[in-house]
Amino acid sequence: MFESRIHRLREKIAEEGLDALIVTGRKNREYLSGFTGSAGFLLVTAGGGVLATDFRYEEQAKAQSPHLEVYRYETPRDGLSRLVREKKMGIVGFEAVHTSCWELAEWEEDSPDIAWRPTKGLVESLRICKDEGEIQRIRQAARLTDKGFEHILNYLRPGVQEREVALELEFFLRREGAEGVSFAPIVASGPNSALPHARPGERVLEPGDFVVLDFGVIIDGYCSDLTRTVVIGRASDRHREIYELVRKAQQHALGEVGPGKDALAIDKGVREVFAAQGVAEHFGHGLGHGVGLEIHEAPTLSSRSTDELRAGMVVTIEPGLYFPGWGGVRIEDLVLVTPQGMENLSSSSKDFLVL
Ligand code: ZN
Ligand code: ZN
């Protein structure tokens, strides 16, 4: 598996006219090597691959990445300059998004004969479509996330603080086997629910609140992402109307997901549903994003997207409407693009729930 990923990367390295690529992005490195340590880089050449790390991780690197030569360095700077000299490299690509200006300046100073070439998205473009093993992990993560939502429903009632809800949710998910949460859970109640990325605070849930719950877990390195919105105590007609509109828009978008579809068009379809009701300006973020080793990765579903959906992509569909000072609704599912269309990996209820 790792060999075939590196093989596909080599094709890209050749297309770019490079002798080698230095992979410094941590998740990119993990994707190609299986190595999960916090320090190290990969040097991928036409004929080989070297995983460079320090003393702390040498044994772990050998165990996790038997398909690679493991090289131990004193400092990453020193390791890199020795390796490019030893391997007689001429044109070396680096990941511009994952390299600091300072690091590049050091490399140029140490190895002035090398032509250093910035690259963008080479490994990310391999990660965009998931293989069976990856899908399996994401599916497991989505399943546990659904369990978390079911659990927290019993906990939501007037008088509970947002941060207590977030803590209970995280505790439950960890106890049930998550290796971590994919981001700090969002629990946003009342007026806070109008802030798409509110942080759970001391506010206490009150009757008549919308509560937006947005959270996910990590299983074996892979993330999940789910949002549900419920009402506390009593709901008004407006609560129901806004909720049903977001649900309708989300349902519409789910029906559009499939291989060969333009992400831009799916996003646009949702904006049209909202525009028909005169609320388009209350949906100010993108419709969705890819999910994998990172909670936000390619592709992007937004009004600026140039991505086309392909089988194997795992993306979120998460429209929302936000009314400052009053509240907001977001509904988010995690879906797998399949050769036939799509499979929804999230199964939490989307009924209008008043708790
Ligand atoms: Zn989310
Ligand atoms: Zn999301």
Side-chain angles (χ1 to χ4, degrees), residues 11 21 23-24 43 72 76 92 101 113 162 182 190 194 211 215 237 257 262 272 290 301 309 311 323 329 352:
E11 289 171 0
L21 178 71
V23 179
T24 43
L43 180 74
R72 189 174 104 196
V92 178
C101 300
D113 303 339
E162 289 175 347
S182 45
V211 182
F215 60 100
D237 290 347
V257 173
D262 283 326
E272 282 165 2
L301 292 87
L309 298 186
F323 300 87
V329 174
F352 181 69

Side-chain angles (χ1 to χ4, degrees), residues 291-319:
V291 173
L293 284 168
E294 287 174 285
I295 185 64
H296 292 124
E297 56 180 54
T300 302
L301 292 87
S302 76
S303 49
R304 288 178 305 280
S305 177
T306 54
D307 295 318
E308 184 187 289
L309 298 186
R310 281 183 279 149
M313 288 182 175
V314 174
V315 299
T316 68
I317 299 291
E318 50 178 308

Side-chain angles (χ1 to χ4, degrees), residues 183 186 197 213-216 224-227 289 295-296 316 318 330 332:
F183 55 93
I186 294 170
H197 273 188
L213 301 141
D214 187 351
F215 60 100
S224 65
D225 197 359
L226 175 84
T227 307
H289 52 88
I295 185 64
H296 292 124
T316 68
E318 50 178 308
R330 180 166 63 258
E332 172 180 36

Side-chain angles (χ1 to χ4, degrees), residues 2 4 8-10 23 46 51 66 75 93-94 119 131 177-178 201 251-252 255 280 323 332:
F2 294 119
S4 86
R8 284 187 292 142
L9 180 62
R10 282 205 186 101
V23 179
L51 171 58
T75 68
F94 61 93
T119 68
D131 63 33
Q251 209 55 47
H252 175 81
F323 300 87
E332 172 180 36

